[in-house]
Amino acid sequence: MISTLINRLIFASRPMNSQDWLVVGVTLLVYGAIALPLGFNSRFLRVSRGFRNLKELFQGLVVIFFMPSLIEELIFRVLLLPHPTERVSIIVWCLWAGLSLFLFIIYHPINALTFHPQGNPTFMTPIFLTLAGILGLGCTVGYQLTGCLWVPVIIHWAVVVIWQYWLGGKEKLYGNN
């Protein structure tokens, strides 16, 4: 089992190529086409400027890259999902993908109740969990198509950055401070 996880990490850590970037772009466009109408219609999203200066924005960009993006994608995609080189059946892959997505969604409320109390009550709302589920699905498909860790990391990072800094996420998590 440990050797399988190490192999997944090794195979997934390859540099991105132009096809990977295309998957990132298409996934972000599809996610945006679904998430923006849902978010605005539910009033969960609103246009805002969630940073006071460029230093704060830059620090946020770096922090968000590592947590949640890199750490969560390592756990919920790379370690839990069979790498495309493992050549498992579609049924087995779908079962692992379903488990991974389920764990990714329920992780958010658990995280808000334990390690990230700023996420409470936002991480408990049905619209947040729906958007997180759609994001998780996009990251899962992106990872399956490419086998590259960086694809879901960049997708996850971009969505969280846009939500926190331009669509009201910072205010939801931290208030107006």
Side-chain angles (χ1 to χ4, degrees), residues 102-167:
F102 172 75
L103 293 173
F104 179 73
I105 293 168
I106 66 165
Y107 158 79
H108 288 87
I110 292 168
N111 191 27
L113 293 171
T114 56
F115 301 108
H116 191 63
Q118 300 88 347
N120 192 0
T122 302
F123 289 6
M124 309 290 188
T125 63
I127 186 63
F128 176 87
L129 296 173
T130 299
L131 295 175
I134 297 166
L135 173 60
L137 181 61
C139 289
T140 299
V141 170
Y143 180 65
Q144 176 59 24
L145 289 173
T146 65
C148 180
L149 159 68
W150 307 113
V151 169
V153 168
I154 291 169
I155 293 165
H156 196 151
W157 175 82
V159 167
V160 174
V161 165
I162 291 166
W163 175 58
Q164 283 200 10
Y165 290 101
W166 290 284
L167 293 176

Side-chain angles (χ1 to χ4, degrees), residues 3-168:
S3 64
T4 299
L5 297 178
I6 291 169
N7 282 335
R8 286 179 181 174
L9 284 170
I10 291 169
F11 287 126
S13 297
R14 69 167 178 76
M16 288 180 61
N17 60 38
S18 57
Q19 288 181 315
D20 298 334
W21 283 105
L22 180 61
V23 170
V24 168
V26 169
T27 303
L28 287 171
L29 287 173
V30 170
Y31 179 81
I34 297 167
L36 291 173
L38 283 174
F40 283 117
N41 286 338
S42 67
R43 295 198 172 116
F44 180 77
L45 300 178
R46 66 174 187 79
V47 175
S48 69
R49 182 171 178 210
F51 63 95
R52 291 182 290 269
N53 56 55
L54 290 177
K55 178 183 175 189
E56 178 186 339
L57 175 62
F58 179 74
Q59 288 173 332
L61 296 176
V62 172
V63 168
I64 291 167
F65 177 82
F66 290 101
M67 184 61 188
S69 306
L70 179 62
I71 301 299
E72 289 182 12
E73 295 310 318
L74 276 169
I75 295 167
F76 295 108
R77 256 50 79 186
V78 175
L79 296 178
L80 280 177
L81 295 176
H83 190 269
T85 59
E86 293 177 44
R87 304 205 187 280
V88 299
S89 72
I90 189 72
I91 293 170
V92 169
W93 185 85
C94 286
L95 289 171
W96 279 108
L99 175 64
S100 170
L101 187 57
F102 172 75
L103 293 173
F104 179 73
I105 293 168
I106 66 165
Y107 158 79
H108 288 87
I110 292 168
N111 191 27
L113 293 171
T114 56
F115 301 108
H116 191 63
Q118 300 88 347
N120 192 0
T122 302
F123 289 6
M124 309 290 188
T125 63
I127 186 63
F128 176 87
L129 296 173
T130 299
L131 295 175
I134 297 166
L135 173 60
L137 181 61
C139 289
T140 299
V141 170
Y143 180 65
Q144 176 59 24
L145 289 173
T146 65
C148 180
L149 159 68
W150 307 113
V151 169
V153 168
I154 291 169
I155 293 165
H156 196 151
W157 175 82
V159 167
V160 174
V161 165
I162 291 166
W163 175 58
Q164 283 200 10
Y165 290 101
W166 290 284
L167 293 176

